[in-house]
Amino acid sequence: MAEGNERCALTEAVYYILLALHTPMHGYGIMQFVKEMSSSRVNLGPGTLYGAINTMLVKGWIKALEGESDSRKKEYEITIEGRSIVQDEVKRLEELLYNGKKIAGRD
């Protein structure tokens, strides 16, 4: 991550939601994806999920897709900005892991 970059570390919930939305998905599908991807370690509740979705919609990291007018299920998809956020987070995590192994892994 470049110095002066205003982006900060993502929460685990936001990171997994962004990963989920590389394929368009509705809320329940996102919850199932995150649970499966994390081997049931991360279990998103509706309040956490929809709070994060609303924040990411405002930031432009995801977008709601047009759906059938009578459907109550809204699908979401990651945006180009959201993909950039995920790529930056992966780089940050790789740096943390590299430095952790370099220092603590030599015991």
Side-chain angles (χ1 to χ4, degrees), residues 4-67:
N5 192 333
E6 294 182 18
R7 295 179 183 167
C8 58
L10 300 180
T11 65
E12 200 167 14
V14 167
Y15 180 72
Y16 274 125
I17 293 168
L18 287 172
L19 288 180
L21 294 178
H22 279 69
T23 300
M25 215 172 275
H26 54 74
Y28 183 74
I30 296 169
M31 288 192 282
Q32 294 303 306
F33 175 92
V34 171
K35 187 175 181 178
E36 182 179 330
M37 187 70 129
S38 68
S39 301
S40 297
R41 191 176 52 76
V42 179
N43 196 1
L44 299 175
T48 300
L49 174 67
Y50 288 104
I53 283 175
N54 287 333
T55 299
M56 289 188 283
L57 284 169
V58 169
K59 290 182 175 183
W61 296 358
I62 64 172
K63 63 181 178 184
L65 298 178
E66 296 283 330

Side-chain angles (χ1 to χ4, degrees), residues 7 10 14-15 18-19 22 78 81-92:
R7 295 179 183 167
L10 300 180
V14 167
Y15 180 72
L18 287 172
L19 288 180
H22 279 69
I78 194 167
E81 174 70 13
R83 289 176 187 267
S84 174
I85 295 294
V86 170
Q87 289 170 354
D88 286 349
E89 183 68 0
V90 168
K91 287 178 190 169
R92 188 187 73 79

